[in-house]
Amino acid sequence: MRSENELFAAVQESICTVLDMDADEVKASSKIVEDLGAESIDFLDISCELEKAIKYELDFKEIFSSKSENGDSSPNDVSVEEIVKFLQSKNI
């Protein structure tokens, strides 16, 4: 199982690769769409990059569903921290 810091680094790097950003632009609290400007197609690319880095196929639909179930007002926008927490819950 990877540490929270290792997972954050993998998520951050994947987002930076796909969105062509510097690491200092991607914070734990950053929302993928609202703050970083990702489009829906970018979620697939981020998922593919993460799969290469951590050998786990991330399905953003699972994260979106859990946010909807919790009454989140914007279930289709997820933060970097929420991705990390989701991966931790899967014991990645």
Side-chain angles (χ1 to χ4, degrees), residues 31 62-77 82:
K31 296 230 179 230
E62 287 182 73
I63 300 173
F64 299 151
S65 293
S66 69
K67 287 183 66 154
S68 291
E69 290 167 10
N70 293 332
D72 194 304
S73 61
S74 58
N76 293 326
D77 198 5
E82 288 170 321

Side-chain angles (χ1 to χ4, degrees), residues 7 11 50 54 56-67 78-92:
L7 289 172
V11 172
L50 264 173
I54 62 174
Y56 179 80
E57 187 174 348
L58 177 65
D59 185 353
F60 277 97
K61 287 186 239 175
E62 287 182 73
I63 300 173
F64 299 151
S65 293
S66 69
K67 287 183 66 154
V78 62
S79 71
V80 173
E81 181 177 38
E82 288 170 321
I83 297 169
V84 171
K85 298 282 186 213
F86 177 80
L87 293 171
Q88 283 182 305
S89 75
K90 299 295 184 182
N91 294 317
I92 304 305

Side-chain angles (χ1 to χ4, degrees), residues 8 10-16 18-21 25-47 50 58 60 63-64 67 74-84 87:
F8 174 77
V11 172
Q12 183 184 48
E13 183 177 336
S14 297
I15 291 169
C16 287
V18 172
L19 300 180
D20 193 30
M21 304 181 95
E25 296 177 271
V26 181
K27 312 267 188 266
S29 61
S30 298
K31 296 230 179 230
I32 305 299
V33 174
E34 185 179 316
D35 298 328
L36 303 178
E39 297 180 5
S40 57
I41 190 68
D42 294 323
F43 285 100
L44 179 61
D45 293 337
I46 292 167
S47 180
L50 264 173
L58 177 65
F60 277 97
I63 300 173
F64 299 151
K67 287 183 66 154
S74 58
N76 293 326
D77 198 5
V78 62
S79 71
V80 173
E81 181 177 38
E82 288 170 321
I83 297 169
V84 171
L87 293 171

